[in-house]
Amino acid sequence: MKKSGILMLIGSALLLGLFIYPLWNIQLEAPQYPDSLGMNIFIGGIQGEEEFDIQNIDGINHYIGMKKIPTPAEMWEFNVFPIVIGGMAALGALLGILGFFKIIGPNWFLGWLTLMTVLGILGMIDFNNWLTDYGTDLDPKAIMKLTDSEDKPLSYKPPLLGSEKILNFTAHSYPKAGAYLMLVGMLITLVAWWVGKKATKGRS
C-alpha cells in the first residue's frame, strides 16, 4: 500500500494546479480581431488573455444585449469552487497518508475518484448552464436585435467544447492546463487504486 499511498498523494496534489492555471479557455476570432480575443476561466474568476480582451468582449456584447463578463463577486461558483477543490485535494492527501500506513484500503481511493468524477460532471453541467444563460438572456433594449428565419432572437451561446460560428465570429472553447492537470491527477488515483488492490490481493 505504500506505493499506492504515494500515488494517491501525487494525484490529489495535482488538483492544486487549478489555483495557478486556467481550467478552460474561450477564444473569439473575427476579421476585425486578427489576434483573436480570449478569456481564461479559472476556478476563482475570469481573466482576459491580453490586457484589454475582457473590455473588448464586453463592448461587443453590449451591442447585442449580452451581459458583461461576471466578476468573482457576481458568481457563487467562483467562491465555492476553490473551497471544493482545496477540500478534495486535502481529503485525497489524507487518504494517501492513511493508505501509506495501511490504515485504510485502496477502495477509499476509488471512492475519492468517484466523488471527484461526480463533482466534475456537475461542474461541467453548471458551466454549460452559465454559457446558455450568457448567450440567450439578452437585453431587449439592445442596440442590435438579430433574429433567425422564424423571427426568434439569435443565440450567442459559445460551445461547451469545440468551435462554432457566431455571426462573424468563430468561438473556440477548450480545456486548459488546469483541466489537464486535474485529469492526470484523477488517472493517477485510478492507478493508485489498482496498485493498492493488487498489493492487498498479494497479501491475502
Side-chain angles (χ1 to χ4, degrees):
M1 281 294 291
K2 285 188 175 182
K3 287 183 180 179
S4 62
I6 292 172
L7 288 170
M8 184 67 200
L9 280 167
I10 294 171
S12 56
L14 287 178
L15 292 185
L16 299 177
L18 286 166
F19 288 93
I20 303 172
Y21 301 105
L23 176 66
W24 217 262
N25 173 268
I26 295 177
Q27 283 195 345
L28 299 174
E29 291 182 350
Q32 65 268 41
Y33 294 103
D35 294 329
S36 76
L37 301 174
M39 52 185 179
N40 287 321
I41 302 171
F42 293 80
I43 58 172
I46 300 175
Q47 297 179 10
E49 283 192 316
E50 301 296 336
E51 183 179 0
F52 297 107
D53 279 2
I54 295 296
Q55 180 180 332
N56 288 329
I57 291 171
D58 281 339
I60 295 167
N61 291 347
H62 171 72
Y63 284 100
I64 56 178
M66 293 176 70
K67 302 182 183 75
K68 287 188 174 182
I69 304 299
T71 64
E74 294 170 332
M75 284 187 68
W76 63 266
E77 290 90 341
F78 292 142
N79 296 305
V80 172
F81 285 179
I83 296 173
V84 172
I85 293 300
M88 288 301 294
L91 177 60
L94 176 61
L95 294 178
I97 292 170
L98 294 176
F100 181 86
F101 290 106
K102 302 178 183 178
I103 297 174
I104 61 172
N107 284 340
W108 285 87
F109 302 166
L110 186 61
W112 181 93
L113 178 60
T114 301
L115 177 58
M116 191 64 213
T117 301
V118 171
L119 291 173
I121 292 172
L122 291 175
M124 292 300 292
I125 292 172
D126 181 75
F127 180 42
N128 188 63
N129 288 340
W130 174 75
L131 289 175
T132 300
D133 179 72
Y134 178 69
T136 59
D137 186 15
L138 307 178
D139 184 352
K141 298 179 181 179
I143 298 170
M144 295 177 61
K145 298 177 183 178
L146 302 177
T147 58
D148 60 18
S149 58
E150 298 179 354
D151 204 33
K152 295 179 181 178
L154 290 178
S155 170
Y156 304 106
K157 174 186 178 296
L160 177 64
L161 180 65
S163 300
E164 187 174 317
K165 190 77 173 177
I166 304 174
L167 296 181
N168 65 321
F169 284 87
T170 300
H172 307 282
S173 178
Y174 290 99
K176 291 289 280 186
Y180 292 123
L181 285 173
M182 179 175 66
L183 179 60
V184 171
M186 292 172 69
L187 290 174
I188 289 175
T189 60
L190 180 62
V191 174
W193 168 77
W194 182 79
V195 170
K197 199 74 174 174
K198 192 174 179 181
T200 52
K201 282 184 178 180
R203 292 199 306 266
S204 60

